[in-house]
Amino acid sequence: MKKGFNRRFFLKASALTAAFVAIDKTKAVAMLPVKAAVPIKPIVISTWDFGVAANKAAWKVLSKGGRALDAVEIGVQVPEADANNHSVGYGGFPDRDGKVTLDACIMDDFGNCGSVAALEYIKHPIAVARMVMEKTPHVLLVGDGALQFALENGFKKENLLTKESERAWKEWLKTAKYAPVINIENMPGNQYNHDTIGMLAIDAKGNISGACTTSGMAFKLHGRVGDSPIIGAGLYIDNEIGGATSTGVGEEVIRNVGSFLVVELMRQGYSPEDACKEAVMRIIKKKPAVAKEIQVGFLALNKKGEYGAYAIQKGFSYAVCNESKSDLLVPGKSYYH
Ligand code: ASP
């Protein structure tokens, strides 16, 4: 597979070289530099430590020459199905009213995207988001409408509230303080882990796709939607440049159109890490007092396969998987150490 691809790439590069030579001969212009043929290497990156297992599933698709879009959809379904993960999919902590409501989105290399928000009873919201993208003229379906669409398309209605999550919710109800606990992973005793999985992948053809899925903030107001299903906020892909995704307090990411910003900064020449840092700095600059108390992290991948991340608070990590670095967990840099 890899050999076949390299040959194709080489042929393409040779054809380009020939074209430049032909232009040079007939029009007598200076020969344009021909970039060295660098073979494109598949790679998948995703947020947090649970990204390791998710990447592994995505890598199975990528290593067989599969499409990045399929890889990210299959990859993020791993934490979606994990009952012990209380921030994504099945087993996610419910909202203030005890309902598990899920947000997810997906975006491909053609700029197509689909998303669902405040979706209940469906274990794999990412698969519904993909169906919104592929089967409807719309981008985003919410709440009951999203559920209706899922059921009409063969998804099974399931109870997503596990015993453990119900116990945590009942514990919270004792004080029922409506102030979504902020997402600082390094906060001692922080049981309210509400981290999202955002995943970005490049396939052997060099195309990039991304997916993002979460149960959002634990004990949020019913109907609250975070950044994760909002294209441009929780996820953005531009096949010319690269992709970005986010985790943390979604409201701040939406206010700053975070993932779109990161991709646009990469377009201007920023490295993935510098682009993520600049997006974090915008949040800090606008609301320094708020930023001290919250976590937001960005993760980015450019078309060369370079990646980077930056967060407000320490404790952010991401997983990387490619041919040589299988299942590596990398600590992201942060503003407050
Ligand atoms: N971004 C998610 C939200 O605001 C939560 C998280 O990633 O921690 O819903």
Side-chain angles (χ1 to χ4, degrees):
M1 184 63 222
K2 223 180 128 246
K3 264 190 189 155
F5 170 71
N6 284 342
R7 198 175 59 242
R8 275 206 310 280
F9 188 89
F10 175 71
L11 288 174
K12 230 177 163 181
S14 312
L16 272 176
T17 312
F20 284 129
V21 171
I23 288 166
D24 188 44
K25 273 186 191 157
T26 54
K27 300 203 173 155
V29 292
M31 231 177 84
L32 294 167
V34 179
K35 282 195 182 135
V38 183
I40 296 152
K41 294 263 172 68
I43 182 167
V44 55
I45 62 174
S46 59
T47 52
W48 303 114
D49 51 355
F50 44 74
V52 170
N55 283 359
K56 206 179 249 175
W59 184 250
K60 275 193 192 147
V61 177
L62 294 174
S63 59
K64 289 190 195 110
R67 194 174 166 203
L69 180 68
D70 295 323
V72 295
E73 184 193 2
I74 285 170
V76 301
Q77 287 191 11
V78 173
E80 278 186 345
D82 182 358
N84 295 318
N85 186 322
H86 299 304
S87 55
V88 182
Y90 174 63
F93 282 160
D95 64 18
R96 195 179 64 158
D97 301 345
K99 294 172 177 160
V100 179
T101 67
L102 306 176
D103 295 342
C105 77
I106 194 159
M107 191 159 186
D108 75 7
D109 46 310
F110 296 103
N112 297 315
C113 47
S115 96
V116 288
L119 173 63
E120 289 181 65
Y121 306 114
I122 304 293
K123 201 186 239 171
H124 291 299
I126 198 66
V128 186
R130 180 163 178 178
M131 216 169 250
V132 171
M133 172 173 92
E134 290 177 343
K135 286 199 165 182
T136 80
H138 309 306
V139 168
L140 170 61
L141 293 181
V142 304
D144 287 347
L147 177 61
Q148 187 188 335
F149 172 77
L151 297 177
E152 278 169 10
N153 282 282
F155 287 86
K156 217 171 66 201
K157 191 169 177 177
E158 290 175 75
N159 172 29
L160 304 180
L161 187 65
T162 57
K163 289 257 168 319
E164 210 182 317
S165 293
E166 192 174 7
R167 224 176 292 129
W169 170 60
K170 288 192 169 149
E171 195 52 41
W172 175 82
L173 277 180
K174 288 180 186 164
T175 52
K177 215 168 83 192
Y178 180 66
V181 177
I182 50 169
N183 184 18
I184 299 179
E185 292 64 40
N186 50 325
M187 199 161 95
N190 180 14
Q191 58 160 319
Y192 304 108
N193 187 331
H194 31 75
D195 305 332
T196 297
I197 181 142
M199 180 180 275
L200 307 164
I202 295 180
D203 59 31
K205 290 194 171 130
N207 293 321
I208 183 164
S209 290
C212 186
T213 173
T214 190
S215 52
M217 283 190 178
F219 321 130
K220 61 196 173 187
L221 276 178
H222 183 61
R224 179 264 186 189
V225 171
D227 57 322
S228 309
I230 309 296
I231 298 295
L235 177 76
Y236 195 70
I237 300 292
D238 184 321
N239 204 37
E240 268 183 17
I241 305 299
T245 187
S246 67
T247 180
V249 176
E251 283 73 4
E252 292 312 319
V253 179
I254 294 173
R255 285 184 183 113
N256 291 278
V257 201
S259 291
F260 181 74
L261 173 62
V262 171
V263 172
E264 287 309 299
L265 289 166
M266 290 197 292
R267 192 190 305 279
Q268 290 168 28
Y270 282 63
S271 70
E273 184 184 306
D274 287 348
C276 292
K277 184 175 181 181
E278 176 59 24
V280 160
M281 294 315 293
R282 299 262 175 113
I283 295 172
I284 294 174
K285 219 163 110 186
K286 280 184 200 160
K287 295 186 177 184
V290 174
K292 261 192 197 150
E293 305 294 323
I294 64 164
Q295 175 64 304
V296 169
F298 291 104
L299 178 63
L301 176 66
N302 70 16
K303 284 280 287 188
K304 286 187 238 160
E306 297 163 340
Y307 52 85
Y310 202 84
I312 299 178
Q313 311 288 346
K314 69 179 178 185
F316 179 47
S317 61
Y318 61 100
V320 179
C321 186
N322 63 16
E323 223 172 30
S324 49
K325 285 181 220 153
S326 159
D327 309 331
L328 186 75
L329 193 65
V330 185
K333 293 192 184 150
S334 59
Y335 185 72
Y336 293 111
H337 311 291

